[in-house]
Amino acid sequence: MSAGIRDPHASERRMQSFLTPRFILTFILIGVGTAGISALLFSPNNGLFGWIGELLSAMTPLRFVGVTLTLIAATAISYIASRLGTDPTALGLIPVGAGYTYGRRLATNPVTGETKLVSRTADDALDDLQAMVGLGSVKSEINKLLASLEIERRRREQGLPVFTTSRHMVFTGPPGVGKTVVARAVGDIYRSLGVLRKGHLIEADRSQLVASYVGQTAPKTLDVCRTALDGVLFIDEAYSLSSAEWKGDYGREAIEALLKFMEDHRDRLVVIVAGYPAEMHRFIASNPGLASRFTKTIDFPPYATVELCDIFRTMSTDQQYLLPPGFEAKLAPWIESQRLDPQWGNARSMRTLLEKVREAHALRASGDPEANVAEFELVDIEAAIRDSR
């Protein structure tokens, strides 16, 4: 290593070498030796052996037990200190500062044991939404939601009546356009502003709500609803609950159980149902109870090609990869050809493509010692596109 370059891990290695059992034992022996030298300095007439004799002559059984316990405690503390210094995880601990924010806590659901981080404030959620590419119409709806909450608060402060409004919502749009991300942000906003006590998000679909035998669907649905109490229940592809018409399907039983729970806990639960626009329109119209409770619909349009290129760039930057100039010219035609596929996942598909680009980059860079491991090349993107067809 050059003399002008400092090793960033040198101090850490020196600290670990100090905090070894051998070092601790040496430290104890040095302490004992220091005590002996001090006895010679302060009692030169008696000498070391005279000092030891006086110590032993004054020793009683009780003092002997005390000295023994003190030595055992000092040894134990030294051993624990050495273990914590060299390997804190061996004792089940995490060193402060190693990827942990001091004071951060989890909210634990007593029924399921599921834990969710609850540290994100409304401002944090809004910052994350602001950073999302596109979704201009969705952000406008969030602004309306915030304005309504602010006016409600001001009316309460002035002693004016606040009328109950349904907070349940319908999110319509194709997969991969941020519906779940926005639903989680809504929960954080409601918790931060005091609308919901927890604001956590519980995701569910038909398989988690509908059972295969008579009499089992309602209890299964209610169990899921209870886990979402004081938070947001997000039901993806909710139209599948009412789409089946054959005898023996219990999707409608799940809807009835859901509606009753929503009515019984109208101030403690927000339900967001999501799916394709046409299917969700038929779903809401299939039951008068749904139409009366889900009065607000937010449409999530599919991303434009230029927006998907921006999303790809953002994902790459977040993973600390540089993109080559002109990558859009390679990416845009592939997006246009793929977006007509019913399985197209918008931002989700871009994440999948990025994984393939990383694989192609790794395969190329592993055979070239001079390759830049933090920068993609056009050939990596071309290889990933070929692999995705």
Side-chain angles (χ1 to χ4, degrees):
M1 181 175 295
S2 173
I5 301 177
R6 295 181 59 187
D7 183 0
H9 301 290
S11 59
E12 180 180 351
R13 287 196 296 268
R14 285 194 297 269
M15 180 62 68
Q16 290 180 350
S17 65
F18 290 154
L19 295 175
T20 61
R22 180 177 299 177
F23 171 78
I24 297 297
L25 180 59
T26 303
F27 180 79
I28 294 175
L29 293 176
I30 291 175
V32 173
T34 303
I37 294 173
S38 299
L40 290 174
L41 292 175
F42 289 102
S43 302
N45 296 329
N46 295 333
L48 176 61
F49 294 104
W51 175 76
I52 295 175
E54 289 179 359
L55 179 64
L56 293 177
S57 62
M59 184 69 65
T60 63
L62 183 60
R63 289 182 178 179
F64 178 77
V65 172
V67 171
T68 303
L69 292 177
T70 301
L71 291 175
I72 293 175
T75 304
I77 293 173
S78 300
Y79 174 75
I80 293 173
S82 66
R83 293 295 302 274
L84 288 175
T86 56
D87 185 15
T89 58
L91 296 178
L93 300 177
I94 300 175
V96 175
Y100 171 71
T101 302
Y102 184 78
R104 199 166 191 174
R105 296 296 182 267
L106 293 173
T108 304
N109 188 295
V111 178
T112 64
E114 184 177 5
T115 58
K116 293 287 184 181
L117 284 170
V118 294
S119 60
R120 194 167 70 152
T121 65
D123 283 336
D124 295 333
L126 292 173
D127 288 341
D128 292 340
L129 291 179
Q130 184 67 42
M132 294 181 69
V133 175
L135 299 181
S137 59
V138 176
K139 295 174 183 177
S140 296
E141 292 295 333
I142 297 298
N143 285 338
K144 295 178 184 178
L145 173 68
L146 292 169
S148 298
L149 293 174
E150 290 174 1
I151 293 300
E152 287 181 10
R153 179 177 180 177
R154 289 167 60 183
R155 286 181 64 88
R156 288 192 187 92
E157 292 173 348
Q158 298 177 25
L160 298 173
V162 176
F163 299 97
T164 303
T165 58
S166 174
R167 303 194 188 279
H168 310 299
M169 290 179 279
V170 181
F171 286 0
T172 60
V177 290
K179 297 189 292 293
T180 306
V181 175
V182 174
R184 183 172 290 107
V186 168
D188 291 331
I189 292 170
Y190 278 156
R191 182 193 64 251
S192 186
L193 298 182
V195 177
L196 293 171
R197 188 165 64 89
K198 296 180 180 178
H200 62 295
L201 181 75
I202 296 296
E203 300 180 54
D205 55 23
R206 177 187 169 89
S207 65
Q208 295 165 293
L209 301 174
V210 180
S212 302
Y213 301 98
V214 63
Q216 295 182 344
T217 292
K220 188 174 183 178
T221 300
L222 292 177
D223 286 342
V224 174
C225 291
R226 292 188 188 99
T227 64
L229 202 59
D230 296 317
V232 177
L233 175 60
F234 181 80
I235 305 177
D236 197 16
E237 297 183 350
Y239 52 82
S240 62
L241 297 175
S242 63
S243 59
E245 299 293 341
W246 61 83
K247 184 178 180 180
D249 181 77
Y250 305 111
R252 296 186 184 276
E253 183 181 348
I255 294 175
E256 295 297 334
L258 174 64
L259 289 174
K260 185 178 186 307
F261 193 90
M262 292 167 60
E263 182 63 26
D264 294 342
H265 304 86
R266 64 171 66 93
D267 296 327
R268 297 184 59 190
L269 179 68
V270 171
V271 179
I272 299 177
V273 291
Y276 291 101
E279 287 84 345
M280 290 305 299
H281 177 76
R282 288 194 294 269
F283 169 70
I284 298 299
S286 67
N287 188 302
L290 293 172
S292 64
R293 289 171 177 81
F294 293 94
T295 57
K296 185 176 186 60
T297 298
I298 298 181
D299 181 57
F300 288 68
Y303 286 111
T305 298
V306 63
E307 292 175 332
L308 290 171
C309 289
D310 288 340
I311 289 172
F312 187 81
R313 179 188 292 106
T314 300
M315 290 178 176
S316 301
T317 301
D318 290 342
Q319 298 181 18
Q320 298 187 12
Y321 281 99
L322 299 175
L323 289 170
F327 79 95
E328 299 93 341
K330 298 291 182 181
L331 199 57
W334 177 79
I335 294 174
E336 292 292 339
S337 65
Q338 295 293 312
R339 65 186 314 139
L340 299 178
D341 189 334
Q343 302 300 320
W344 174 248
N346 286 278
R348 196 176 303 163
S349 294
M350 304 312 297
R351 184 178 296 109
T352 302
L353 180 66
L354 180 59
E355 293 174 359
K356 294 183 180 299
V357 173
R358 289 205 313 266
E359 291 175 355
H361 167 263
L363 185 63
R364 176 183 58 80
S366 62
D368 182 7
E370 303 298 325
N372 190 335
V373 297
E375 184 175 1
F376 294 140
E377 294 186 1
L378 289 178
V379 292
D380 302 325
I381 298 177
E382 293 171 350
I385 289 175
R386 289 195 301 270
D387 190 34
S388 301
R389 288 173 180 170

